[in-house]
């Protein structure tokens, strides 16, 4: 019996430690978090491109902040200085966003990704290391809809615009990889199910 009392007392202390009133949570700050695989469709230097990756974040009420990473899954062909290259776009960085009325079955979500990345160039049909790379910076605002499948799963589809900056490779304009994007993701996590409001 003593062990039961000890266990209950420890659980109470743990709960109080999570939900004690502080300057941060006294107004009912809800904490959560998620991870998600990401599939992105876009135009890559005039060619249809698919990028895959993932991301995740910490949720503070309806707002989230975290990180992401994406890489093109197939090579983009480009002619540079009489040679034919296969080009890969990869980037990652900060991911922030906001869910509007997330308690509704279907609701609006908006996000913004800012990342650092590279364009990797390798001679066509040459599977050795990349010959050279070009460092770039990306900005991608998006808006879309989210479907609550369960308390811990959301299906999300978005559309947006990707800007790629600092492209300095010969034969490319600065907007060669700018494109409208469409993304699909499955978010897994704890979507603000915990609250410290008394």
């Amino acid at each position: 019996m003593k062990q039961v009392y000890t266990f209950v007392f420890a659980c109470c202390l743990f709960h109080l430690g999570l939900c004690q009133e502080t300057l941060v949570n006294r107004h009912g700050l809800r904490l959560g978090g998620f991870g998600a695989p990401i599939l992105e469709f876009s135009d890559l230097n005039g060619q249809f491109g698919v990028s895959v990756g993932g991301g995740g974040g910490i949720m503070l009420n309806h707002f989230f902040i975290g990180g992401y990473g994406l890489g093109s899954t197939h090579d983009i062909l480009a002619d540079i200085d009489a040679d034919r290259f296969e080009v890969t776009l990869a980037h990652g960085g900060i991911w922030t966003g906001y869910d509007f009325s997330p308690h509704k079955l279907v609701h609006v979500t908006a996000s913004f990704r800012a990342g650092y990345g590279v364009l990797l160039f390798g001679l066509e049909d040459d599977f050795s290391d990349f010959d050279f790379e070009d460092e770039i910076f990306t900005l991608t605002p998006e808006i879309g809809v989210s479907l609550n499948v369960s308390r811990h799963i959301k299906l999300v589809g978005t559309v947006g615009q990707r800007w790629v900056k600092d492209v300095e490779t010969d034969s490319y304009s600065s907007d060669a990889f700018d494109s409208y994007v469409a993304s699909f993701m499955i978010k897994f996590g704890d979507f603000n199910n915990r609250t410290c409001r008394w």
Side-chain angles (χ1 to χ4, degrees):
M1 197 66 175
K2 181 178 180 181
Q3 289 83 354
V4 174
Y5 288 137
T6 302
F7 176 76
V8 172
F9 181 70
C11 289
C12 290
L13 286 179
F14 179 73
H15 177 74
L16 288 173
L18 288 177
C19 297
Q20 61 182 322
E21 182 173 311
T22 66
L23 288 176
V24 174
N25 65 27
R26 65 183 301 176
H27 297 297
L29 179 68
R30 295 185 296 274
L31 301 176
F34 70 91
I38 303 173
L39 181 65
E40 181 185 85
F41 305 96
S42 68
D43 181 284
L44 297 171
N45 193 36
Q47 302 175 45
F48 175 76
V50 179
S51 297
V52 297
I58 297 173
M59 301 197 68
L60 306 173
N61 289 342
H62 301 170
F63 172 81
F64 73 83
I65 182 169
Y68 80 96
L70 284 169
S72 56
T73 60
H74 65 282
D75 296 314
I76 311 149
L77 298 179
D79 294 317
I80 302 175
D81 297 332
D83 290 317
R84 195 155 178 79
F85 286 87
E86 295 177 341
V87 187
T88 300
L89 171 65
H91 56 100
I94 297 173
W95 185 20
T96 65
Y98 189 87
D99 289 341
F100 299 86
S101 303
H103 61 282
K104 293 185 177 180
L105 177 64
V106 179
H107 53 275
V108 174
T109 183
S111 67
F112 179 79
R113 299 196 304 257
Y116 165 83
V118 291
L119 292 170
L120 301 171
F121 296 83
L123 288 172
E124 185 180 12
D125 299 325
D126 181 359
F127 298 101
S128 60
D129 293 336
F130 291 100
D131 293 276
F132 64 96
E133 64 182 51
D134 186 2
E135 297 180 353
I136 51 94
F137 182 73
T138 65
L139 299 171
T140 312
E142 295 178 300
I143 190 166
V145 294
S146 179
L147 170 66
N148 295 334
V149 177
S150 71
R151 290 183 59 191
H152 301 289
I153 300 176
K154 292 176 181 281
L155 299 182
V156 183
T158 64
V159 293
Q161 171 74 43
R162 180 187 64 227
W163 288 284
V164 179
K165 303 301 180 183
D166 298 331
V167 178
E168 299 177 350
T169 301
D170 293 340
S171 303
Y172 281 119
S173 63
S174 60
D175 60 353
F177 292 91
D178 292 352
S179 172
Y180 293 111
V181 299
S183 300
F184 176 76
M185 64 198 78
I186 306 175
K187 291 183 177 180
F188 301 93
D190 183 358
F191 302 104
N192 298 328
N193 291 327
R194 291 191 305 271
T195 179
C196 289
R197 180 179 298 171
W198 293 98

